[in-house]
Amino acid sequence: MDKANLDIVIKNAIEYAKAYENTGMVASYIPELKNADKNALGVCIAANNKKIYKAGDCETLFTMQSISKVVSLILALQTVGKEKVFSKVWVEPTGDAFNSLVRLETHTHIPLNPMINAGAIAVAGVIDAEFPFSRFLAFMRRLCGREDICLNERVYLSEKASGMKNRAIAYMLASEGVLERDVEQTLDFYFKMCSVNVTAVDLARIGSILANDGVDIFTGERLIESEYALIAKTLMVTCGMYDGSGEFAIKVGIPAKSGVGGGIMCCVEDNFGIAVYGPSLDAKGNSVWGLKVLEYLSKELKLHYFAGSKIREYI
Ligand code: GLN
């Protein structure tokens, strides 16, 4: 395959996506998220040649929301190990909405996977640190190579004030012994990790670390153990787009995690991290234009795990 000019490819991806009517809606169940620009769209690729390719709204700060679930899972694995983490959460897809609590009663009291709210709240409860959010933030700063990564206080307070469903989930988990620590403190950490501000460039960098087996290609430093990177990527494949994960796997076919802030973080093994920012969401909570961008990139660069290209040579 010819070397692709990634600058041109991502510009074309934006044009392709924007040609589709913006049918989605900005998330409003967390009131502060309503302020996002529905028509924003940014795409960034952090590649193994140590170059950052970007186009569109890549400097805009937005909150990670569910994308933080990948980082908190890795942090939990690093602090308490696999056995403890997977005694609190399973690794199976649900086919339900990200904030559903229905299976906690009908299926099992242990949440089905760490990429949905119930699972991420269970994971938040096991991280072994005196101040889990400080630890999370410090880890985020290393992953993004940026010391000024910080909390979006307004979004955090807005989610804390409106997060009744998450409260219901957390108390249900506590009643079954899944949450062992103070419920309100665990929820507070969960709301905070969802409310960390990032740009598409930051998320592309984290994606690139995952793509490189846990090593930061920009510094050469290993930030994630190989086994934990593998676990995170596998769960991104099976559960990262919630109840849209199957369709996404067919249409795009790379590990991905979305958030209701409008971000999608992806990785292409041994090649690069990709992030898209587009706050207009479909009914499942995934970025409408973000999905289109990724469909385009997957097709154009033959990214799908079953695309059949033996050697990928884009850069
Ligand atoms: N903070 C959000 C919530 O708990 C995260 C959900 C998401 O991004 N899908 O509802």
Side-chain angles (χ1 to χ4, degrees):
M1 183 187 173
D2 287 343
K3 282 192 182 193
N5 181 333
L6 290 181
D7 276 318
I8 293 177
V9 174
I10 59 177
K11 279 199 187 96
N12 290 345
I14 288 185
E15 231 172 79
Y16 171 85
K18 285 200 162 182
Y20 283 83
E21 193 191 343
N22 192 346
T23 49
M25 306 248 281
V26 170
S28 57
Y29 75 100
I30 300 171
E32 193 62 28
L33 294 182
K34 267 196 300 224
N35 300 326
D37 171 8
K38 181 178 181 210
N39 292 314
L41 185 59
V43 184
C44 178
I45 292 182
N48 275 20
N49 59 1
K50 300 192 186 180
K51 281 197 187 143
I52 301 276
Y53 301 87
K54 56 184 175 169
D57 299 294
C58 284
E59 315 305 326
T60 308
L61 286 167
F62 58 95
T63 51
M64 296 176 81
Q65 297 302 332
S66 274
I67 299 168
S68 64
K69 292 168 178 159
V70 176
V71 178
S72 62
L73 171 67
I74 294 166
L75 193 56
L77 289 166
Q78 288 178 337
T79 60
V80 294
K82 252 188 336 187
E83 221 171 289
K84 177 78 182 177
V85 171
F86 295 121
S87 71
K88 299 291 185 186
V89 67
W90 290 8
V91 290
E92 305 303 336
T94 66
D96 298 322
F98 63 81
N99 58 357
S100 174
L101 41 71
V102 66
R103 286 182 190 239
L104 292 179
E105 211 168 30
T106 59
H107 185 70
T108 162
H109 55 269
I110 296 194
L112 275 165
N113 72 70
M115 301 290 132
I116 52 169
N117 291 14
I121 292 169
V123 168
V126 296
I127 290 175
D128 187 23
E130 198 181 346
F131 300 106
F133 182 64
S134 307
R135 185 82 182 257
F136 179 89
L137 206 52
F139 189 37
M140 274 297 293
R141 288 174 177 164
R142 290 189 73 200
L143 291 172
C144 301
R146 197 156 75 77
E147 272 309 300
D148 51 349
I149 293 274
C150 63
L151 178 71
N152 183 325
E153 191 84 24
R154 294 173 71 99
V155 173
Y156 156 62
L157 293 174
S158 180
E159 181 161 1
K160 196 177 166 88
S162 59
M164 296 311 162
K165 194 127 185 222
N166 285 326
R167 241 173 227 111
I169 290 173
Y171 279 97
M172 208 148 156
L173 293 177
S175 77
E176 297 290 349
V178 178
L179 281 188
E180 294 170 21
R181 302 209 190 108
D182 182 87
V183 181
E184 287 300 325
Q185 272 177 22
T186 301
L187 275 166
D188 193 64
F189 166 49
Y190 172 79
F191 294 142
K192 279 185 173 157
M193 70 182 214
C194 289
S195 305
V196 168
N197 260 346
V198 288
T199 64
V201 179
D202 295 321
L203 294 183
R205 279 196 63 149
I206 303 179
S208 126
I209 295 169
L210 289 169
N212 287 291
D213 193 40
V215 174
D216 183 343
I217 207 82
F218 293 88
T219 62
E221 212 181 337
R222 173 170 290 285
L223 297 179
I224 303 169
E225 295 74 357
S226 176
E227 188 186 11
Y228 300 158
L230 183 144
I231 291 172
K233 283 182 282 195
T234 308
L235 285 166
M236 287 162 74
V237 169
T238 53
C239 317
M241 307 296 283
Y242 324 112
D243 43 338
S245 297
E247 193 181 342
F248 185 85
I250 289 175
K251 288 188 174 161
V252 182
I254 55 175
K257 182 76 202 84
S258 69
V260 292
I264 306 178
M265 175 177 86
C266 315
C267 48
V268 177
E269 200 65 5
D270 296 325
N271 276 275
F272 43 66
I274 310 176
V276 186
Y277 169 60
S280 186
L281 310 177
D282 65 16
K284 294 179 174 172
N286 295 321
S287 168
V288 174
W289 278 350
L291 292 173
K292 290 288 168 210
V293 162
L294 292 167
E295 277 172 39
Y296 181 90
L297 291 178
S298 176
K299 205 161 172 221
E300 202 60 24
L301 299 171
K302 297 194 174 49
L303 304 182
H304 196 288
Y305 3 77
F306 306 126
S309 54
K310 293 262 184 309
I311 301 167
R312 296 201 182 103
E313 199 187 276
Y314 310 124
I315 48 175

